[in-house]
Amino acid sequence: GYIPSDKVDEAVSKTLEYCYDDWAVAHMADAAGATTDAKALRARSRNYRHVFDKNVSFVRPRDSLGGWLEDPFDPTSIGYSDKWRDFTESNAWQATFLNQHDLYAYMQLFGGEAAFEQKLDGLFNAPPSLPDDAPPDIAGLVGQYAHGNEPSHHIAYLYAYTGAHYKTQARVRSLLDTMYRASPDGLAGNEDCGQMSAWYVMGALGLYAVDPVSATYVFGSPLLNRAEITLANQRKLVVETMGNGPDKPYIQSVSWNGKPWTRSWISHAELTAGGVLTFHMGIIPNKKFGNLAK
């Protein structure tokens, strides 16, 4: 149920990323009518549980006999041995939030939504220190959140799943403002196939796909006052932001085609049908918006 760190390099990250791969392929199996395969793949997508240690509330390396490696445990460490790393371009702080597909079940391992929210706070408020052997990919640190690399890019949006969506709004706006500059070295990390810029473009629109397989977008804190996106068959998506400003990162309300919208997310199918998505922004958080976790 997991990749052993005494046998394989970067085993913790591989275990977690294979879980998401299985989640994605399970949907393909369902679409193909291979329901038995889909069931097995969905079960395997929950193998993240086997590298999560409830005693420390982190994912961590495990050996082939089932024991936890590294004593004492250090969540900023890259690996338990000098031979290889246990994490891919990350450490236990970042990898602990790599689960993007089974979040409501995952949060229960921490003790529930409130405990998971506190863990997120802990990530962003942790000392931004790294060991000497940390790869340069762990860059753009806010606490132990690393905006310079992909493993962290969905994390600010996870507050939405706890019902504390206003924290997503504040954090995303801060990252948009501080992690990008109009200069040759204006990105916080490796551009890697355009991901750093893509994060900015989606964030500026106020949308982000935490779990692309679910085909939904979590709201963030839009920068643009207006954007028009040309869709198939001459349809158009308009995203407009009212009352926006540098000191107004918080969503007061949202409407979709003129009707009130209370969810902190919207589906790909709804957006690609075309329409007008309107954000109303303000200085003070509206903690009631998106406060229903699901």
Side-chain angles (χ1 to χ4, degrees):
Y2 63 95
I3 311 299
S5 286
D6 58 338
K7 301 290 186 183
V8 181
D9 66 313
E10 302 184 352
V12 181
S13 292
K14 287 176 179 176
T15 297
L16 298 171
E17 294 193 17
Y18 293 169
C19 288
Y20 194 80
D21 294 343
D22 287 335
W23 172 249
V25 181
H27 284 69
M28 296 178 68
D30 271 330
T35 55
T36 300
D37 289 342
K39 183 177 180 181
L41 286 160
R42 273 193 298 274
R44 205 166 67 179
S45 78
R46 299 187 178 99
N47 279 345
Y48 60 80
R49 294 173 295 181
H50 301 306
V51 292
F52 184 86
D53 183 357
K54 289 185 178 181
N55 293 317
V56 295
S57 290
F58 281 100
V59 296
R60 58 183 297 193
R62 202 168 192 175
D63 65 25
S64 52
L65 298 177
W68 298 113
L69 291 167
E70 191 182 22
D71 186 27
F73 172 68
D74 177 6
T76 68
S77 173
I78 308 302
Y80 82 98
S81 77
D82 296 331
K83 186 177 180 181
W84 53 47
R85 300 168 180 162
D86 297 320
F87 304 92
T88 304
E89 300 177 2
S90 58
N91 60 26
W93 264 118
Q94 294 120 34
T96 291
F97 297 100
L98 201 55
N99 188 329
Q100 296 172 240
H101 63 291
D102 196 30
L103 282 160
Y104 294 108
Y106 189 48
M107 288 190 286
Q108 300 312 306
L109 298 183
F110 294 80
E113 286 83 355
F116 189 72
E117 180 186 339
Q118 290 176 1
K119 192 71 172 181
L120 284 166
D121 290 343
L123 169 79
F124 287 105
N125 294 317
S129 57
L130 295 171
D132 293 338
D133 61 345
D137 309 82
I138 306 178
L141 288 174
V142 181
Q144 285 292 316
Y145 170 89
H147 192 71
N149 207 26
E150 293 91 338
S152 287
H153 275 183
H154 64 288
I155 294 176
Y157 292 89
L158 296 183
Y159 282 114
Y161 294 78
T162 73
H165 187 255
Y166 71 98
K167 290 187 177 181
T168 282
Q169 299 160 32
R171 185 59 66 185
V172 168
R173 178 64 68 91
S174 175
L175 293 168
L176 287 166
D177 287 342
T178 62
M179 291 291 169
Y180 296 86
R181 294 179 293 108
S183 66
D185 61 346
L187 300 178
N190 188 348
E191 177 66 322
D192 239 356
C193 301
Q195 168 58 17
M196 289 294 298
S197 297
W199 191 97
Y200 186 88
V201 171
M202 295 304 297
L205 290 170
L207 304 167
Y208 198 79
V210 172
D211 172 19
V213 170
S214 71
T216 60
Y217 299 91
V218 176
F219 296 147
S221 181
L223 282 182
L224 302 175
N225 291 330
R226 182 179 174 87
E228 293 187 8
I229 301 170
T230 301
L231 306 170
N233 300 319
Q234 299 183 327
R235 294 190 299 269
K236 182 180 292 185
L237 170 64
V238 176
V239 180
E240 57 184 14
T241 310
M242 305 299 182
N244 208 0
D247 60 343
K248 297 178 179 179
Y250 294 108
I251 295 173
Q252 305 300 296
S253 63
V254 175
S255 64
W256 173 239
N257 291 326
K259 297 180 180 179
W261 189 269
T262 58
R263 297 197 303 249
S264 60
W265 56 275
I266 192 168
S267 73
H268 183 77
E270 285 163 320
L271 293 180
T272 54
V276 180
L277 180 65
T278 304
F279 295 92
H280 294 267
M281 310 300 290
I283 298 174
I284 306 299
N286 174 9
K287 295 183 180 181
K288 292 183 179 179
F289 179 77
N291 68 343
L292 299 177
K294 297 183 182 182

